[in-house]
Amino acid sequence: MLTLSETWMDLFGLTGLFNPTALIIGGALGWYADRAKKLWIAGFAAAALSLMVETALSFTGMPVWSQHNAGPLAMFPFRFVGGLVASAIIFMIAKRVKKA
């Protein structure tokens, strides 16, 4: 069983805040967003879809790359913030690229 500090490391690490799946989904949705208000939706979708992908992979029996003991309800807010930040950064980049 993990201690409290190890759980926090999971939440702030690659399984939570810096989850690659959530960052990729958030970035892709940020690229196609036409208004800044839609970034909240992109962050929510990134968190939800990354948890769904991870759950689907675990049901198939394939090895999941992120092993953690924190539950999905604990992971969701951290992945939401990660996806939101990624979508905001990509949104600003896309805005400059499309403007030029």
Side-chain angles (χ1 to χ4, degrees), residues 42-74:
F44 187 87
L49 289 174
S50 68
L51 288 169
M52 287 181 202
V53 165
E54 188 174 295
T55 303
L57 285 176
S58 68
F59 281 149
T60 61
M62 294 176 60
V64 179
W65 63 271
S66 61
Q67 298 294 329
H68 56 82
N69 287 336
L73 290 177

Side-chain angles (χ1 to χ4, degrees), residues 6-18 75 78:
E6 291 172 341
T7 303
W8 282 108
M9 291 304 293
D10 277 346
L11 294 175
F12 283 109
L14 285 174
T15 57
L17 189 62
F18 298 111
M75 291 289 173
F78 291 90

Side-chain angles (χ1 to χ4, degrees), residues 3-100:
T3 63
L4 184 61
S5 63
E6 291 172 341
T7 303
W8 282 108
M9 291 304 293
D10 277 346
L11 294 175
F12 283 109
L14 285 174
T15 57
L17 189 62
F18 298 111
N19 185 275
T21 310
L23 296 177
I24 291 170
I25 294 169
L29 293 175
W31 181 265
Y32 292 109
D34 58 347
R35 295 180 188 239
K37 292 180 181 179
K38 293 183 180 179
L39 297 180
W40 292 99
I41 298 169
F44 187 87
L49 289 174
S50 68
L51 288 169
M52 287 181 202
V53 165
E54 188 174 295
T55 303
L57 285 176
S58 68
F59 281 149
T60 61
M62 294 176 60
V64 179
W65 63 271
S66 61
Q67 298 294 329
H68 56 82
N69 287 336
L73 290 177
M75 291 289 173
F76 188 85
F78 291 90
R79 290 186 184 188
F80 175 78
V81 170
L84 180 67
V85 170
S87 66
I89 291 170
I90 298 297
F91 175 74
M92 288 188 286
I93 292 171
K95 193 173 173 183
R96 289 183 183 223
V97 167
K98 292 175 184 176
K99 189 176 182 181

